[in-house]
Amino acid sequence: QSALTQPPSASGSPGQSVTISCTGTSGDVGGYKYVSWYQQHLGKAPKLMIYEVNKRPSGVPDRFSGSKSGNTASLTVSGLQAEDEADYFCVSYAGINDLIFGGGTKLTVL
Amino acid sequence: QVQLQESGPGLVTPSQTLSLTCTVSGASINSGGYYWSWIRQHPGRGLDWIGYIYYSGSAYYNPSLKSRITISLETSKNQFSLRVSSVTAADTAVYFCAGVRNWRFDYWGQGALVTVSS
């Protein structure tokens, strides 16, 4: 089982929008609605930002949004802020009680 | 508010067994609804899912680690545990415990660094 594919890095200036992709297969991302995204600041625990492709937990700013097309899910951060600089990774259900992680993307706010 | 906290030795000798415990507060691990899970993160790398256990005691493990992994419940203490046998340097990582619901990780512990070294 291979990890979901994410770009290793992404960047944008304050106020801009950045989109991070997460590519899998029809057996995971493309086959289920259970794609979630997490933010992880250095040395901290991950935080759930998006679940079920495009739902935001309470307390997550609406600058964070999710979508999916085919086997690729995406996380978009709009109106970038300095505190958005972190690692982001995706997770997808892969059937038969299995979960698969993305490799992670380091987001830099220029 | 649900909180999780990992505990256990930070240093393990090669070939020995790594043991970690996750203490859950704010929720009962006996009440259902959540899969109690372990994840690890190798230095400078992404996360790897180790496995999870349900309140019934049913457990599921990552096939790549299955032969060396045991996850168990200690319901009287509202804890669940991880054991990894025959460890090598490749098992050096930060280990997280987490609560999973509807295939998303709702709650995470702060993580515990475990180093495998003689």
Side-chain angles (χ1 to χ4, degrees):
Chain A
Q1 175 191 66
S2 300
L4 303 174
T5 300
Q6 295 183 234
S9 63
S11 63
S13 300
Q16 289 187 332
S17 293
V18 170
T19 296
I20 299 170
S21 61
C22 169
T23 301
T25 69
S26 58
D28 38 66
V29 174
Y32 303 96
K33 68 176 183 178
Y34 298 109
V35 177
S36 51
W37 288 90
Y38 302 82
Q39 176 191 66
Q40 186 180 27
H41 287 106
L42 188 64
K44 301 295 185 181
K47 175 186 175 182
L48 177 66
M49 305 300 285
I50 296 287
Y51 67 98
E52 292 180 13
V53 176
N54 56 15
K55 298 179 181 178
R56 271 188 316 276
S58 174
V60 173
D62 60 6
R63 303 185 293 103
F64 291 85
S65 61
S67 63
K68 188 180 80 166
S69 177
N71 297 336
T72 298
S74 298
L75 172 72
T76 297
V77 185
S78 306
L80 270 176
Q81 298 182 5
E83 60 262 35
D84 299 332
E85 184 162 296
D87 291 329
Y88 292 83
F89 61 92
C90 57
V91 178
S92 176
Y93 181 63
I96 318 175
N97 301 317
D98 202 5
L99 287 166
I100 184 170
F101 283 76
T105 298
K106 181 178 179 60
L107 174 61
T108 300
V109 180
L110 302 170
Chain B
Q1 182 178 352
V2 179
Q3 293 184 316
L4 288 78
Q5 179 66 59
E6 306 86 352
S7 60
L11 181 65
V12 181
T13 303
S15 81
Q16 298 301 303
T17 296
L18 177 162
S19 296
L20 291 171
T21 296
C22 181
T23 300
V24 180
S25 59
S28 170
I29 63 172
N30 242 351
S31 62
Y34 280 92
Y35 292 92
W36 302 105
S37 183
W38 289 96
I39 306 99
R40 70 182 184 182
Q41 185 170 34
H42 292 99
R45 290 173 53 184
L47 294 120
D48 295 320
W49 182 52
I50 298 171
Y52 63 76
I53 190 165
Y54 198 45
Y55 79 102
S56 62
S58 298
Y60 183 81
Y61 304 133
N62 185 322
S64 67
L65 298 169
K66 186 175 182 178
S67 64
R68 299 193 295 125
I69 300 296
T70 303
I71 298 176
S72 58
L73 294 171
E74 299 181 48
T75 54
S76 63
K77 298 180 180 179
N78 216 39
Q79 297 173 335
F80 61 103
S81 299
L82 169 71
R83 290 170 59 88
V84 183
S85 63
S86 305
V87 296
T88 69
D91 293 307
T92 293
V94 175
Y95 287 77
F96 293 95
C97 60
V100 178
R101 182 175 62 175
N102 293 337
W103 307 113
R104 66 179 187 263
F105 294 87
D106 275 348
Y107 306 110
W108 294 76
Q110 284 300 110
L113 173 62
V114 178
T115 301
V116 179
S117 175
S118 56

